[in-house]
Amino acid sequence: MGGPRFEPVRAVRAYERVVEQVEEAIESGSLSPGERLPSERELMVQFSVSRSTVREALRVLQARGLVRSRPGDPNGAEVLPFSPATLHKSMTTLARVEELSLAELVQFRMVLDSSAILLAARLRTDAQFAEMESAVAHMRAAVEAGQDTFGEADVAFHDVVARASGNKLIQICTDVVRSIVLKLISEKIADAPDREALMRQSIRHHEEVLAAMRAGDGPLAARLSRKAMYDYYAGYLPATERPALTALLD
């Protein structure tokens, strides 16, 4: 028999419809950070639903980091500004349930950092470049003095690069992905027998990237960045997953 083929429909609970409408209002700008939703009673009237449905919707919205809500608050739930913590929580959950592999996370970080470096090589200010040089100097000093501040200096370097890129989304995603990757392999790094050699190699890579940026060669700096990350992280990945990283190397 001819004619269209239909697919089964999913039953949608009332609270999900409430969540959808509030999310749409926030995404469209109809509701701005700092503004408040109507009281629970008013939401019940506007949506024609029960109090339990309203409260379930508010719990979901709060879990997603969109509102701050207290049951019975006569002022209504407060709309929150976007926070990287929300993205961090979601990506961490995906990594923990193995929806995102370490290889995928490192690959994404290679893409983000090299893009940030490409932009920063062209857009950075002299002051920002001086901050990058200072961060690498602190990395070198930490190794020479045997201090446990190498990681902080490395983070400082990449934070400056992300800021110098001028792209807020790169800044947010870089921070989130880096922290998740480091959390997943922190014990392996701490127990690595050649940890000092790895740190010294990382410093050399950073210096090469800085030299390319100083010369205004963004593409070279980006390639060096991807190679540096591959050299640093590849050893923590199974051989079968390394092609995901080598695909980004020129």
Side-chain angles (χ1 to χ4, degrees):
M1 180 178 177
R5 294 181 60 85
F6 299 105
E7 296 181 358
V9 296
R10 181 177 68 88
V12 179
R13 297 179 180 179
Y15 81 86
E16 293 178 305
R17 290 301 190 196
V18 175
V19 170
E20 287 176 3
Q21 289 195 47
V22 175
E23 284 183 329
E24 288 173 3
I26 293 173
E27 291 169 1
S28 69
S30 299
L31 281 172
S32 302
E35 292 187 329
R36 289 184 176 272
L37 298 178
S39 66
E40 286 185 0
R41 184 178 297 276
E42 180 59 26
L43 289 174
M44 290 165 58
V45 173
Q46 290 190 29
F47 288 112
S48 296
V49 296
S50 66
R51 185 181 297 275
S52 62
T53 296
V54 168
R55 288 186 173 177
E56 181 63 24
L58 291 174
R59 276 194 290 270
V60 172
L61 291 165
Q62 182 160 278
R64 294 179 183 178
L66 296 175
V67 304
R68 178 165 46 231
S69 172
R70 292 187 298 273
D73 187 348
N75 296 317
E78 179 185 3
V79 177
L80 298 176
F82 172 77
S83 169
T86 305
L87 179 61
H88 188 285
K89 182 178 179 180
S90 298
M91 293 188 71
T92 300
T93 300
L94 286 171
R96 283 177 178 169
V97 299
E98 298 184 351
E99 290 294 329
L100 286 176
S101 68
L102 178 59
E104 289 173 313
L105 288 164
V106 173
Q107 184 188 56
F108 188 36
R109 189 180 174 196
M110 288 171 68
V111 171
L112 284 173
D113 274 53
S114 61
S115 297
I117 284 174
L118 178 64
L119 290 169
R122 300 175 182 176
L123 302 176
R124 53 88 178 173
T125 63
D126 290 341
Q128 288 170 332
F129 191 75
E131 284 186 70
M132 296 176 206
E133 291 181 312
S134 176
V136 174
H138 279 92
M139 292 168 66
R140 192 182 307 107
V143 174
E144 297 299 336
Q147 298 174 338
D148 194 24
T149 55
F150 179 90
E152 294 176 16
D154 182 44
V155 168
F157 174 86
H158 291 285
D159 281 346
V160 178
V161 169
R163 280 192 283 111
S165 75
N167 187 300
K168 291 182 180 178
L169 191 56
I170 285 179
Q171 293 177 53
I172 292 170
C173 291
T174 295
D175 179 59
V176 170
V177 175
R178 178 183 62 223
S179 64
I180 293 173
V181 169
L182 293 179
K183 187 181 296 183
L184 289 174
I185 64 172
S186 58
E187 291 184 5
K188 294 180 180 179
I189 293 175
D191 296 337
D194 56 347
R195 187 181 177 210
E196 182 176 334
L198 285 172
M199 290 190 290
R200 291 187 182 279
Q201 181 185 56
S202 178
I203 291 170
R204 288 194 297 273
H205 285 319
H206 282 69
E207 290 173 337
E208 290 172 353
V209 169
L210 279 179
M213 293 180 70
R214 187 182 295 109
D217 194 339
L220 174 59
R223 287 196 300 274
L224 289 170
S225 170
R226 291 192 294 272
K227 179 64 166 59
M229 288 206 173
Y230 175 83
D231 289 345
Y232 191 81
Y233 289 114
Y236 300 110
L237 297 173
T240 54
E241 295 185 6
R242 291 176 192 169
L245 275 58
T246 56
L248 292 172
L249 303 178
D250 293 334

